[in-house]
């Protein structure tokens, strides 16, 4: 054998032998795309490191200032509040809409997903205009109490931590809701039936069997909400609650000290890695404690869930779903409708921006497909081939989700200007930014579905001579289809409302609904921004409704 042939034969085994020592070695068709994705994910961190190191010793002083610790504390407090609030809202909703005879379950499934379509800056404006001082609520209270000679001078301020946490919770809880729903649909109910047959009550069965099997989905969704709160700019800026992201935007936007912004962005990455490490540690602890299997260990096919009759709890369940829908969707949409009607009455042209809507749908669909394709090898590596490389790659993927879009965009601009000028100002670079930003949304959904698939199915196909790519395409991906659809829907919705990366990387003349809404809202033309915002919600609801109806038909 020639030296070239020997080298070619050794290449597929070298990285797996080094990075997956002591574990099963993945085929090249899985780890090679993982390496390519890792290079993409490292673009922004490399840019930040180069920018920070260019400042020399000054960068160290910038990072460890007392003010930085104060911002870290505020950011961590907001992350914790948002994560716990989202889990508390989403877990009962998922159970009610999947496992019970709740009336109009399909309707509630769609309605409770729609808050994902609302940009944080739109919801922030709506809450400030509706619940803030001199807002719509105060006007109604003044009119209601006027006959009783009671004057409403002011209402409690919504600004600060309460407003930021409230805004992020009502638009972020679907990040937890969707993975839990996918896990409930994939779960084999024969395990629960066995527990009931052994004398366990419904509550004992839920606590000892169902809940442990939902932990991967809960942890994946909680991680997404924590990282979303970490990277959000719109809600914290409007609610005047200073976090890492707002501070970074101030430095970048005003061009006061971009080295400080880069140094703080590195701190943001470190904080994100701590969150990801904590989630991984908790997940590993649960796996070690419970045996690590979330699929049926015996033979037989998975059984569809039998709906639990709510009985006298039906009306409280409907009230709970209705309150969640009204607060998370009804309140922002009502304020947008109010400003739309007010603008039309004042002669404001009704701008719906159909071309911007078409651009948003096209680029969001492209981003959803590319992101799911990139997420598949990461999820397979993390679940089927755990090791140093898979852990490092999975955690690296969450860095992009934790960084503001402006940081990712500037990192790609640096890469394009220096190494790939042909990519600059192209849809390809914009799509790469979306993949970098929203990859964890797809990875979390795919991972939650994959842990419930028995690996023996894939082993049997390989023992029959099937190639790794064939096994991936014909066995693994069809079995995790709910996770694929969930991940694609999440990425589509996130892309529809993404703003900073779109503003920086969009080709000249390429406008989206998000950029159009921000341009009008930034100039305080709320009536002009309301109609495109409503269109954004309407367009985003279409794929959600189609996915939900398709899932209903498949389950029936």
């Amino acid at each position: 054998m020639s030296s070239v042939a020997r080298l070619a034969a050794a290449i597929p085994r070298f990285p797996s032998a080094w990075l997956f020592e002591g574990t099963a070695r993945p085929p090249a068709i899985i780890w090679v795309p993982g390496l390519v994705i890792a290079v993409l994910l490292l673009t922004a961190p490399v840019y930040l490191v180069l920018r920070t190191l260019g400042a020399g010793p000054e960068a160290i002083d910038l990072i460890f200032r007392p003010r930085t610790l104060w911002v870290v504390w505020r950011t961590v407090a907001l992350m914790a509040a948002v994560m716990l609030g989202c889990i508390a809202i989403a877990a009962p909703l998922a159970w009610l809409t999947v496992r019970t005879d709740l009336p109009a379950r399909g309707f509630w499934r769609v309605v409770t997903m729609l808050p994902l379509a609302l940009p944080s800056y739109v919801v922030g404006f709506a809450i400030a205009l509706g619940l803030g001082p001199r807002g719509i609520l105060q006007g109604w209270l003044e009119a209601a109490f006027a006959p009783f000679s009671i004057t409403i001078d002011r209402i409690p301020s919504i600004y600060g931590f309460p407003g930021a946490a409230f805004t992020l919770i009502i638009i972020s809880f679907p990040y937890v809701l969707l993975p839990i729903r996918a896990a409930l649909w994939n779960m084999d109910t024969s395990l629960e039936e066995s527990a009931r047959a052994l004398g366990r009550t419904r509550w004992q069965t839920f606590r000892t069997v169902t809940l442990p099997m939902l932990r991967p989905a809960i942890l994946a969704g909680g991680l997404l909400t924590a990282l979303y709160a970490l990277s959000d700019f719109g809600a914290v800026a409007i609610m005047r609650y200073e976090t890492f992201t707002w501070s970074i935007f101030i430095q970048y936007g005003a061009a006061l000290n971009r080295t400080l912004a880069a140094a703080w962005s590195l701190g943001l990455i470190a904080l994100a890695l701590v969150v990801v490490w904590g989630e991984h540690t908790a997940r590993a602890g649960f796996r070690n404690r419970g045996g690590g299997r979330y699929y049926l260990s015996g033979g037989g096919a998975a059984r569809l869930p039998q709906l639990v009759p709510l009985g006298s709890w039906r009306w409280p369940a409907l009230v709970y779903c209705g309150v969640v829908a009204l607060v998370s969707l009804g309140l922002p949409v009502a304020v947008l409708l109010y400003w739309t009607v007010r603008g039309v009455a004042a002669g404001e042209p009704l701008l719906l921006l159909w071309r911007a809507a078409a651009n948003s749908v096209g680029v969001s669909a492209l981003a959803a497909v590319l992101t799911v394709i990139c997420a598949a090898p990461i999820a397979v590596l993390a679940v089927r081939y755990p090791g140093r490389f898979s852990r490092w790659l999975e955690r690296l993927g969450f860095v992009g989700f934790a960084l503001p879009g402006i940081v990712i965009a500037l990192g790609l601009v640096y890469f394009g200007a220096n190494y790939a000028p042909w990519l600059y100002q192209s849809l390809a670079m914009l799509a790469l930014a979306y993949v970098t930003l929203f990859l964890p949304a797809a990875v979390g959904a795919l991972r939650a579905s994959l842990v419930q698939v028995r690996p023996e199915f894939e082993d049997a196909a390989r023992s029959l001579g099937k190639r790794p790519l064939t096994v991936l395409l014909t066995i693994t991906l069809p079995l995790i289809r709910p996770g694929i659809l969930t991940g694609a829907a999440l990425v589509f919705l996130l892309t529809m409302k993404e703003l900073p990366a779109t503003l920086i990387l969009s080709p000249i003349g390429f406008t989206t609904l998000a950029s159009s809404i921000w341009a009008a809202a930034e100039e305080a033309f709320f009536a002009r921004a309301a109609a495109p915002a409503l269109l954004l919600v309407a367009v985003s609801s279409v794929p959600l409704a189609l996915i939900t109806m398709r899932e209903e038909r498949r389950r029936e």
Side-chain angles (χ1 to χ4, degrees):
M1 181 183 294
S2 66
S3 59
V4 175
R6 287 196 298 270
L7 178 62
I11 286 176
R13 291 192 295 271
F14 170 71
S16 58
W18 175 50
L19 296 172
F20 293 88
E21 183 178 358
T23 66
R25 298 181 180 181
I29 191 63
I30 295 177
W31 67 258
V32 170
L35 282 178
V36 175
I37 296 168
V39 173
L40 172 64
L41 296 176
L42 285 171
T43 302
V46 168
Y47 160 76
L48 295 175
V49 170
L50 294 176
R51 183 85 189 190
T52 303
L53 292 180
E58 178 189 357
I60 303 298
D61 297 333
L62 292 175
I63 293 176
F64 292 100
R65 294 192 310 181
R67 178 176 174 80
T68 303
L69 298 177
W70 179 74
V71 174
V72 168
W73 163 249
R74 293 169 64 88
T75 304
V76 171
L78 182 64
M79 279 196 307
V82 172
M83 181 178 65
L84 295 177
C86 289
I87 293 175
I89 292 175
L93 274 180
W95 177 262
L96 289 172
T97 55
V98 174
R99 288 296 189 87
T100 70
D101 61 349
L102 181 74
R105 291 190 309 277
F107 169 78
W108 294 117
R109 288 172 188 162
V110 175
V111 169
T112 51
M113 290 165 65
L114 287 180
L116 282 177
L118 296 172
S120 62
Y121 49 87
V122 171
V123 178
F125 276 123
I127 292 176
L129 294 172
L131 304 181
R134 312 306 304 174
I136 297 175
L137 176 62
Q138 183 171 347
W140 288 351
L141 292 176
E142 290 176 350
F145 286 97
F148 304 99
S149 300
I150 298 177
T151 302
I152 307 296
D153 294 327
R154 61 180 294 110
I155 59 177
S157 177
I158 193 67
Y159 294 103
F161 178 83
F166 177 73
T167 302
L168 290 174
I169 287 173
I170 65 174
I171 65 175
S172 302
F173 74 86
Y175 291 130
V176 184
L177 179 64
L178 294 180
I180 295 178
R181 281 178 180 170
L184 285 171
W185 271 319
N186 275 355
M187 189 182 300
D188 195 322
T189 57
S190 62
L191 300 174
E192 299 167 299
E193 292 171 1
S194 299
R196 294 297 307 278
L198 293 173
R200 298 292 181 93
T201 64
R202 287 190 184 275
W203 169 246
Q204 291 174 330
T205 301
F206 175 81
R207 183 174 55 85
T208 61
V209 178
T210 308
L211 185 59
M213 296 184 69
L214 292 177
R215 284 169 180 163
I218 294 174
L219 289 174
L223 177 61
L224 287 177
T225 57
L227 294 179
Y228 184 82
L230 182 64
S231 64
D232 180 75
F233 166 72
V236 297
I238 293 171
M239 293 299 166
R240 304 171 190 171
Y241 183 76
E242 185 175 2
T243 61
F244 255 135
T245 306
W246 191 16
S247 302
I248 292 169
F249 264 78
I250 292 174
Q251 299 299 326
Y252 269 122
L256 297 175
N257 192 337
R258 294 200 171 185
T259 300
L260 175 59
W264 277 1
S265 297
L266 287 177
L268 201 62
I269 292 178
L271 189 56
L273 291 177
V274 170
V275 174
V276 174
W277 174 81
E279 185 268 347
H280 176 78
T281 302
R283 189 172 63 210
F286 289 138
R287 182 172 61 246
N288 294 335
R289 188 186 313 165
R293 283 198 298 261
Y294 296 90
Y295 50 85
L296 182 63
S297 58
R303 304 177 61 176
L304 295 178
Q306 183 177 4
L307 298 182
V308 176
L310 289 174
S312 59
W313 287 95
R314 175 173 299 183
W315 292 112
L318 283 173
V319 170
Y320 174 74
C321 294
V323 170
V324 172
L326 285 175
V327 173
S328 62
L329 185 65
L331 173 63
V333 171
V335 175
L336 293 176
L337 285 172
Y338 170 83
W339 278 97
T340 301
V341 173
R342 182 174 176 177
V344 171
E348 184 75 30
L350 190 63
L351 298 177
L352 291 179
L353 307 172
W354 298 109
R355 183 176 179 181
N359 291 339
S360 295
V361 171
V363 74
S364 299
L366 175 63
V369 173
L370 291 178
T371 307
V372 169
I373 292 174
C374 292
I378 298 178
V380 172
L381 284 171
V383 176
R384 294 290 185 255
Y385 306 97
R388 285 188 292 266
F389 176 62
S390 58
R391 289 194 299 268
W392 173 76
L393 181 60
E394 186 181 14
R395 295 172 187 177
L396 181 62
F398 284 96
V399 169
F401 196 78
L403 287 176
I406 189 173
V407 176
I408 299 296
L410 290 175
L412 288 175
V413 168
Y414 171 83
F415 170 79
N418 291 276
Y419 304 105
W422 47 274
L423 271 179
Y424 186 66
Q425 284 288 307
S426 67
L427 280 178
M429 180 169 282
L430 183 59
L432 289 178
Y434 293 145
V435 171
T436 306
L437 285 167
F438 307 133
L439 185 63
V443 172
L446 267 65
R447 197 188 193 289
S449 292
L450 189 58
V451 295
Q452 295 181 330
V453 175
R454 294 180 61 189
E456 287 85 354
F457 296 151
E458 300 156 308
D459 295 339
R462 283 190 289 268
S463 68
L464 294 174
K466 299 293 185 181
R467 299 177 65 86
L469 179 60
T470 304
V471 174
L472 178 66
L473 296 179
T474 61
I475 303 296
T476 307
L477 295 184
L479 289 175
I480 61 173
R481 183 170 54 182
I484 293 175
L485 294 176
T486 298
L490 280 171
V491 175
F492 182 91
L493 294 173
L494 289 168
T495 306
M496 284 286 293
K497 60 183 183 179
E498 167 56 27
L499 182 64
T502 305
L503 293 176
I504 295 175
L505 296 177
S506 291
I508 297 176
F510 186 85
T511 60
T512 64
L513 285 174
S515 59
S516 302
I517 294 168
W518 179 258
E522 192 177 32
E523 299 178 4
F525 295 143
F526 301 128
R528 189 178 300 175
L534 290 173
L535 181 60
L536 178 63
V537 177
V539 172
S540 301
S541 67
V542 174
L544 293 177
L546 293 177
I547 291 173
T548 302
M549 290 187 294
R550 183 177 182 276
E551 190 64 32
E552 289 278 354
R553 289 195 299 267
R554 191 174 76 86
R555 294 295 166 182
E556 291 174 359

